[in-house]
């Protein structure tokens, strides 16, 4: 890397993000990502994709993958993304993602990828058996972002390191190919609470679709009865809710439920405590259940309606892919020219 200050990017602002089609989405995905997508789509041109190329870094059943893509697209639509405003598409439908990723594989340095902590976490003790794709997928993430010259990316804490890698790749490409300011150095976009929702059965573990207990999470497709039942069965402690945030220290389940209430209601944790201070969970849980049902049950109903009409979902995905390629194809053509590839 050079110490030369990067030339400023002068192009339009764009926002990009995506979700892998690898299982049921839940409340944590909604509060941490989907609700934010719906808000930001009106602030700048927005590209939201279903990351099916990323999904196959681990084995996916081919007969199920297409339906899982539709399920994520249905979740996007049910949680407020407007396909006339945001481009919604499957990653694999825009081949420029993969083509740019190969160029970036040749720009990125091995030492940069060796520092990526997520590969170590996901591969565990048997990294030699992990796919090469699992090791290099942060480079594909960089291509996902930069093929649209996206300037802002909604990220959680676990993805900030990958966004830094994207910035490094963009700067090195611009320097290596004498194209100052060609790619932007994208900035993280963080908005509002609810980025980290914990399990309803264990307040120290993140809510996860891989948890064997369905009572650990509220799925986006759950109906009102299931949502209410899961909130009422959520693990708590015997103490009443405190008046201050300090009083939640050492009480992970209580802190999680207060945080969920805050995120669903648009309030701060402190405002929730001010409202319920001194009350036990016998009083708090029914209020939380009513709130969760009012917000989440309509989403589940809309998802079920959409999934009953896969042709409509496919139409949205096809139109979104077409709009995405209108941006991606010229960028890739310019990359080919800069790199020196034969053009005929």
């Amino acid at each position: 890397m050079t110490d030369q200050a990067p030339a400023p990017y002068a192009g339009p602002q764009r926002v990009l993000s995506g979700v892998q089609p690898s299982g049921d989405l839940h409340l944590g995905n909604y509060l941490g990502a989907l609700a934010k997508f719906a808000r930001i789509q009106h602030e700048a041109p927005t590209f939201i994709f279903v990351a099916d190329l990323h999904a196959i870094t681990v084995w996916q059943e081919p007969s199920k993958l297409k339906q899982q893509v539709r399920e994520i697209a249905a979740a996007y639509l049910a949680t407020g993304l407007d396909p006339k405003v945001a481009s919604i598409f499957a990653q694999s439908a825009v081949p420029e993602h993969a083509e740019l990723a190969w160029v970036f594989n040749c720009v990125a340095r091995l030492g940069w990828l060796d520092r990526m902590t997520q590969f170590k976490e996901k591969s565990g003790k048997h990294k030699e058996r992990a796919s090469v794709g699992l090791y290099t997928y942060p480079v594909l993430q960089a291509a996902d972002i930069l093929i649209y010259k996206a300037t802002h990316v909604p990220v959680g804490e676990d993805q900030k390191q990958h966004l830094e890698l994207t910035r490094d790749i963009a700067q090195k490409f611009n320097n290596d190919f004498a194209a100052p300011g060609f790619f932007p150095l994208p900035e993280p976009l963080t908005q509002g609470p609810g980025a980290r929702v914990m399990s309803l059965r264990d307040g120290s573990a993140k809510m996860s679709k891989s948890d064997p207990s369905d009572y650990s999470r509220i799925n986006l497709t759950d109906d009102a009865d299931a949502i209410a039942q899961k909130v009422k069965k959520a693990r708590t402690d015997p103490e009443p809710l405190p008046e201050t945030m300090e009083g939640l220290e050492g009480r992970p389940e209580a802190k999680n439920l207060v945080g969920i209430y805050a995120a669903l209601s648009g309030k701060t944790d402190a405002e929730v405590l001010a409202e319920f201070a001194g009350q036990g969970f016998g009083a708090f849980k029914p209020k939380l259940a009513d709130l969760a049902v009012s917000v989440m049950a309509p989403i589940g109903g809309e998802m079920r309606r959409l999934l009953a009409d896969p042709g409509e979902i496919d139409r949205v995905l096809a139109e979104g892919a077409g709009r995405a390629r209108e941006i991606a194809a010229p960028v890739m053509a310019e990359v080919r020219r800069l790199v020196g590839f034969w053009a005929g």
Side-chain angles (χ1 to χ4, degrees):
M1 291 294 294
T2 176
D3 292 332
Q4 175 184 343
Y9 175 71
Q13 290 197 349
R14 295 190 181 114
V15 176
L16 176 129
S17 195
V19 172
Q20 286 196 38
S22 53
D24 294 332
L25 295 181
H26 52 68
L27 177 67
N29 302 124
Y30 171 69
L31 293 175
L34 302 181
K36 296 177 181 180
F37 296 168
R39 289 196 295 269
I40 62 179
Q41 66 181 321
H42 300 290
E43 298 174 8
T46 300
F47 298 82
I48 304 293
F49 64 94
V50 185
D52 51 350
L53 295 179
H54 286 291
I56 66 167
T57 57
V58 296
W59 173 253
Q60 301 292 328
E61 187 60 47
S63 62
K64 296 180 181 179
L65 185 57
K66 184 181 294 185
Q67 180 59 20
Q68 289 173 334
V69 168
R70 291 188 181 118
E71 288 176 7
I72 301 299
Y76 288 160
L77 296 169
T79 53
L81 275 178
D82 183 346
K84 294 183 175 63
V85 176
S87 297
I88 302 170
F89 59 97
Q91 182 188 23
S92 62
V94 183
E96 288 82 4
H97 285 247
E99 186 177 358
L100 184 59
W102 175 251
V103 174
F104 284 172
N105 273 329
C106 301
V107 171
R109 304 292 91 178
L110 199 60
W112 300 357
L113 289 179
D114 284 342
R115 291 193 291 272
M116 297 293 108
T117 57
Q118 279 217 342
F119 174 74
K120 299 170 187 175
E121 294 168 2
K122 291 185 176 184
S123 60
K125 298 178 181 179
H126 306 290
K127 68 177 184 179
E128 293 84 2
R129 300 179 189 173
S131 74
V132 174
L134 187 63
Y135 181 72
T136 62
Y137 89 91
V139 179
L140 176 57
Q141 281 189 331
D144 296 334
I145 296 165
L146 294 174
I147 194 63
Y148 304 101
K149 297 191 175 183
T151 54
H152 293 83
V153 182
V155 292
E157 286 296 324
D158 58 346
Q159 293 294 328
K160 285 187 176 179
Q161 189 184 37
H162 291 170
L163 190 60
E164 286 299 320
L165 177 71
T166 298
R167 291 168 59 88
D168 287 343
I169 290 173
Q171 184 173 343
K172 190 171 189 300
F173 181 96
N174 293 351
N175 291 340
D176 287 355
F177 295 101
F182 179 75
F183 283 124
L185 307 187
E187 298 286 344
L189 192 62
T190 55
Q191 289 192 355
R196 190 169 180 83
V197 178
M198 312 307 282
S199 166
L200 298 179
R201 308 301 294 163
D202 178 0
S204 64
K206 192 173 181 181
M207 187 175 284
S208 171
K209 57 196 169 192
S210 62
D211 192 307
S213 172
D214 194 54
Y215 277 88
S216 69
R217 60 190 171 271
I218 294 174
N219 301 307
L220 291 195
T221 51
D222 284 344
D223 61 20
D225 289 342
I227 294 168
Q229 186 78 349
K230 289 178 178 182
V231 172
K232 290 172 183 176
K233 287 184 173 292
R235 181 177 294 176
T236 56
D237 58 46
E239 299 299 319
L241 288 171
E243 295 181 357
T244 65
M245 293 297 296
E246 290 75 15
L248 288 175
E249 292 304 316
R251 301 177 62 186
E253 283 78 23
K255 185 175 182 180
N256 185 41
L257 294 185
V258 167
I260 290 172
Y261 192 104
L264 288 173
S265 63
K267 298 178 180 178
T268 65
D269 290 10
E271 288 171 336
V272 175
L273 290 180
E275 182 178 349
F276 292 99
Q279 298 186 36
F281 287 99
F284 180 69
K285 276 187 173 182
K287 296 289 182 65
L288 176 57
D290 288 345
L291 176 62
V293 166
S294 71
V295 175
M296 304 304 296
I299 293 173
E302 180 64 4
M303 280 190 67
R304 289 189 291 274
R305 186 193 70 78
L306 289 163
L307 289 169
D309 186 4
E312 173 63 14
I313 297 174
D314 290 348
R315 184 191 64 76
V316 168
L317 289 170
E319 287 185 1
R323 293 209 304 271
R325 291 207 72 189
E326 288 176 2
I327 302 297
V331 172
M332 194 64 229
E334 185 64 8
V335 168
R336 293 189 203 105
R337 186 191 68 79
L338 288 168
V339 173
F341 289 154
W342 177 80

